[in-house]
Amino acid sequence: MDINVQSFAVANLRRRPVVVETGGFVAGFDPGTTSPYVNYATPLPGAEPTRQDVAALIRAFRTRRLKPRLEFAPDAAPAVEPALRTAGFATEAVHEYLVCTPETLTVPRNDGAGIPLVESPCSDEDYAAIDAALSEAFSGEFDPSPEGAARLRRTQENGGAVRFVRAPDGGCAGGATCSAPAVGTAELAGVGTRPAFRGRGIAAAVTAALTEAMFVRGARSVWLEYSGEGSRRVYERIGYRPRGTRRYMSLEAAAV
């Protein structure tokens, strides 16, 4: 499955507004943000980069005043990590990813047990509310902004999906996004619930709804990363199963 996930990472970065391909790497940039979680690179499956290839990749980030950063499935390109370490890159994190298929998906049914109602955003106010809710859910890792709301809209309009549960005040209690399918799979990301609404099944409901939507669109699998054992249990109840790891590596300014 690593090859599928890594091939998806390449295809997904090629959707960025600005794409740079050099020496077996694909870097995707969005001029609307300097976030390293949006602006990053990934190797082609099986890439064997030289020192010159890595140096060219670093320049692509430095000329944009961005931190050189990569996300990738190491088993799909075993030569990449040693080449990056030689250039001074360090590991930020290693995350296990889970995969769901149509055969394993279990969708929570609203049988009177209080399953939250999942909606698709339909207005600028909805997108802004989702962006703000996810910012709160992730403890301010990013600030809510018009650019963030616009990225959510682009995801929805370009073949992906955004789903949320509406709060009693009309805003957003929690939500998530899923990128448009590529190479038969899709990435579900940004599952977040505002602290005041946790423990109500919101994460499970939006995850299941997004996963089902991707299967309807022809994806043969959907994958995601999880942040803790609690969230892993939520995903496993829906039908997600462990299949591999992804590594995050970056180069600090002092290392150049």
Side-chain angles (χ1 to χ4, degrees), residues 107-118:
V107 178
R109 298 300 178 187
N110 198 340
D111 55 2
I115 302 300
L117 175 64
V118 177

Side-chain angles (χ1 to χ4, degrees), residues 110-150:
N110 198 340
D111 55 2
I115 302 300
L117 175 64
V118 177
E119 302 181 39
S120 298
C122 59
S123 67
D124 289 343
E125 291 76 16
D126 284 346
Y127 287 108
I130 296 167
D131 185 50
L134 294 179
S135 174
E136 181 181 344
F138 290 101
S139 302
E141 286 184 10
F142 61 92
D143 293 327
S145 65
E147 293 79 14

Side-chain angles (χ1 to χ4, degrees), residues 189-237:
V191 183
T193 304
R194 292 167 58 193
F197 298 98
R198 287 174 183 165
R200 304 184 188 185
I202 291 173
V206 295
T207 298
L210 283 168
T211 304
E212 190 171 40
M214 292 300 105
F215 292 153
V216 169
R217 297 182 192 184
R220 297 186 297 276
S221 65
V222 179
W223 63 277
L224 56 76
E225 298 177 13
Y226 64 94
S227 59
E229 287 305 309
S231 60
R232 173 175 176 151
R233 288 191 291 272
V234 169
Y235 302 137
E236 287 183 334
R237 285 196 295 271

Side-chain angles (χ1 to χ4, degrees), residues 9-213:
V10 170
N12 197 42
L13 280 182
R14 284 173 172 158
R15 297 167 174 160
R16 290 287 195 274
V18 177
V19 179
V20 175
E21 302 201 28
T22 179
F25 295 103
V26 176
F29 302 110
D30 186 338
T33 178
T34 59
S35 170
Y37 306 111
V38 176
N39 299 287
Y40 61 90
T42 201
L44 299 173
E48 297 182 354
T50 65
R51 182 175 300 179
Q52 292 76 19
D53 293 334
V54 176
L57 179 67
I58 294 171
R59 285 196 297 274
F61 282 85
R62 293 298 192 217
T63 57
R64 293 169 173 82
R65 299 180 181 273
L66 297 170
K67 176 194 291 189
R69 186 174 179 277
L70 293 94
E71 300 180 8
F72 61 102
D75 289 348
V80 169
E81 183 183 347
L84 295 176
R85 291 198 181 280
T86 297
F89 282 77
T91 295
E92 292 179 349
V94 177
H95 293 165
E96 186 174 30
Y97 65 82
L98 312 177
V99 176
C100 185
T101 65
E103 294 74 26
T104 63
L105 176 63
T106 301
V107 178
R109 298 300 178 187
N110 198 340
D111 55 2
I115 302 300
L117 175 64
V118 177
E119 302 181 39
S120 298
C122 59
S123 67
D124 289 343
E125 291 76 16
D126 284 346
Y127 287 108
I130 296 167
D131 185 50
L134 294 179
S135 174
E136 181 181 344
F138 290 101
S139 302
E141 286 184 10
F142 61 92
D143 293 327
S145 65
E147 293 79 14
R151 279 192 294 275
L152 291 172
R153 181 181 282 279
R154 285 199 300 271
T155 296
Q156 178 91 345
E157 294 178 345
N158 294 337
V162 179
R163 297 290 185 270
F164 75 111
V165 171
R166 198 174 295 276
D169 64 2
C172 175
T177 69
C178 197
S179 300
V183 298
T185 192
E187 180 189 8
L188 198 153
V191 183
T193 304
R194 292 167 58 193
F197 298 98
R198 287 174 183 165
R200 304 184 188 185
I202 291 173
V206 295
T207 298
L210 283 168
T211 304
E212 190 171 40

